[in-house]
Amino acid sequence: MPTALVADGPHGQVIHATNRAARLAGIATGARVVDMRAVCPELRVEYADLAGDAQALKRLSLWARRWCPWTVVDGADGLILETTGSDHLMGGEAAMLTEMEARLSTLGLSARLAVAPTWGAAWALARFGPVRAICTEESCAADLHALPVAALRLEAETVLLLRRLGLKTIGQLAEVPRLSLTRRFARSALEMNPPMRLDQAMGRLAEPVASVEARAPILAQARLPEPIQDPTAYVPQLCEEVCAQLEHQGLGCRQLHLVVYRTDGEVRRLEVATAAPSREPVHLCRLFQDRLERLDPGFGFDLITLEARRVEPIATVQTQLGGGGEGGVPLSHLIDRLTARLGPRAVKRPQLRESHLPERAAVWAAEQGAGATAVQARPIRLLHPPEEVRVLYAVPEGPPAQFVWRRQTHRVVRYAGPERIAPEWWRDRPGTRLRDYFRIEDQAGGRYWLYREGLHEDGRGGDPRWFVHGCFA
């Protein structure tokens, strides 16, 4: 089925990417969705995750260093690898390209690959050249001669201008006198300057690969002169070394991996997690106390490593004027101790979710994430399910004057509202009625959270129904 990913454009949604069936149907990248639906009515549209694609491409650039030491992200859909001196390790450039295509296909990715002496030439051949093109310094000009001017990484306005001038290929552009091109594009930016882009592709203008280095692992090791049976005595020192590295970088860890290497070649691993980023060595060391006994020592350990995983920025907060800390155990430390002792599935806490409906706005979760932020006044206790009440008299579009709940009559003294909450159409069934919530105080001082389900003559049922959904403190 023709499928396209769409993104927001200046005049509505535009095509961001397409599959092969959509390309064969005439769907063009950058065109408006409404125009492409006229070309292909059966086009299936999905929203593109631009931020997720960018993060995945960064991870892929680090993964690609199995072929060379320098890699860099090229735009939104490309990678540049500096393979000088690395291709002979894989049997030559042709064999290297074949291996790259095979390994990327195992990840579910399709790729167009090319090898060239310059960044610009490789970019042009990968997108406009033959399959797995290989270009040398001697054949660079001949290989790029027949490619369109869009292969020089120029903006659409510049490409359109060159086509109006009759310059459709790189070869035609290279034959134009240099002085004429320089005068026309002297003050243009790099993306709109054909002479500079041509120099980059031909190697006359340097374009080095500024590779982004991966973050060095935060790791501490203990090499032992003799095998030992119990690593407990070395864990505090390892935690102090890891926390010192975290503090130096302004980070805190969410996971710690302890790895012990036995003398017989076997490896044993132990992992602990924290509810919040931490770099306190005493607290992190305590998480391993009841779990080190589970390690099988065999004939002994001779190497112990402790690595911090899932690191996050953490700020130093001064809680008291004198610089000291507050007494007691923080909630995150208590959660970590209970989780280390009872297991991750046994410890849960309420967590907010993105939903307007109260019964869906909080769930019990073991993973401590950021969650949502409560912006409305909500009762401490919610009734599940809400309990229906009998209303003796109700003001139209207002709260009830009296209602009977659990065989007791409550007379409304004060109220606030209504707060209208519509059903979530992407989750609720058709015909679900909206709710009008009221915060109500009765004659005895009790405060309740009531809602009216539905409106008169809304076409979704009979008369509105009233429910008590919660109680305030």
Side-chain angles (χ1 to χ4, degrees), residues 94-109:
M96 180 183 63
L97 292 181
T98 303
E99 181 186 355
M100 288 181 180
E101 189 173 7
R103 283 186 174 271
L104 289 172
S105 64
T106 59
L107 300 179
L109 302 175

Side-chain angles (χ1 to χ4, degrees), residues 247 250-251 277 279-280 313-326 330:
E247 186 175 3
L251 302 173
R279 57 181 181 222
E280 300 182 17
I314 182 173
T316 302
V317 180
Q318 181 177 342
T319 58
Q320 295 185 1
L321 184 60
E326 297 180 352

Side-chain angles (χ1 to χ4, degrees), residues 156-178:
E157 297 179 1
T158 305
V159 173
L160 180 59
L161 176 60
L162 293 177
R163 289 178 177 175
R164 288 176 177 175
L165 296 175
L167 305 176
K168 299 182 179 180
T169 64
I170 297 178
Q172 294 174 348
L173 182 65
E175 295 174 357
V176 176
R178 180 75 179 194

Side-chain angles (χ1 to χ4, degrees), residues 166-302:
L167 305 176
K168 299 182 179 180
T169 64
I170 297 178
Q172 294 174 348
L173 182 65
E175 295 174 357
V176 176
R178 180 75 179 194
L179 184 59
S180 301
L181 287 176
T182 304
R183 288 176 177 176
R184 176 63 180 83
F185 300 97
R187 298 184 179 182
S188 300
L190 180 61
E191 295 78 8
M192 304 179 65
N193 197 316
M196 294 183 65
R197 284 301 196 186
L198 184 61
D199 290 343
Q200 287 180 339
M202 298 300 178
R204 295 188 290 265
L205 185 62
E207 191 177 8
V209 176
S211 181
V212 179
E213 295 297 330
R215 176 181 292 172
I218 300 177
L219 182 70
Q221 294 183 349
R223 297 183 179 275
L224 310 177
E226 295 181 359
I228 62 172
Q229 297 291 323
D230 187 8
T232 305
Y234 295 89
V235 174
Q237 180 63 28
L238 294 175
C239 289
E240 291 181 1
E241 295 180 10
V242 169
C243 291
Q245 299 179 39
L246 291 171
E247 186 175 3
H248 179 71
Q249 302 183 25
L251 302 173
C253 70
R254 294 288 300 272
Q255 284 185 355
L256 277 177
H257 285 247
L258 180 70
V259 183
V260 292
Y261 298 85
R262 299 192 331 191
T263 55
D264 57 358
E266 294 291 332
V267 178
R268 294 294 181 266
R269 294 176 173 83
L270 201 59
E271 177 183 328
V272 296
T274 61
S278 176
R279 57 181 181 222
E280 300 182 17
V282 177
H283 169 63
L284 297 178
C285 179
R286 189 172 297 175
L287 301 180
F288 289 100
Q289 284 184 354
D290 299 329
R291 307 186 65 181
L292 294 175
E293 301 175 355
R294 307 174 188 177
L295 296 175
D296 181 13
F299 296 100
F301 310 123
D302 58 2

Side-chain angles (χ1 to χ4, degrees), residues 72 74 77-84 93 96-97 100 111-137 139-141 143-144 147 150-153 170 197-203 207 209:
V72 64
D74 181 23
D77 60 350
L79 295 176
I80 292 295
L81 285 67
E82 178 57 76
T83 60
T84 303
E93 294 175 341
M96 180 183 63
L97 292 181
M100 288 181 180
R112 294 178 59 89
L113 308 172
V115 174
T118 63
W119 185 329
W123 192 96
L125 291 172
R127 289 163 173 79
F128 298 92
V131 178
R132 293 189 294 274
I134 298 177
C135 173
T136 62
E137 294 184 4
S139 63
C140 184
D143 293 338
L144 299 181
L147 300 184
L152 291 178
R153 296 174 291 171
I170 297 178
R197 284 301 196 186
L198 184 61
D199 290 343
Q200 287 180 339
M202 298 300 178
E207 191 177 8
V209 176

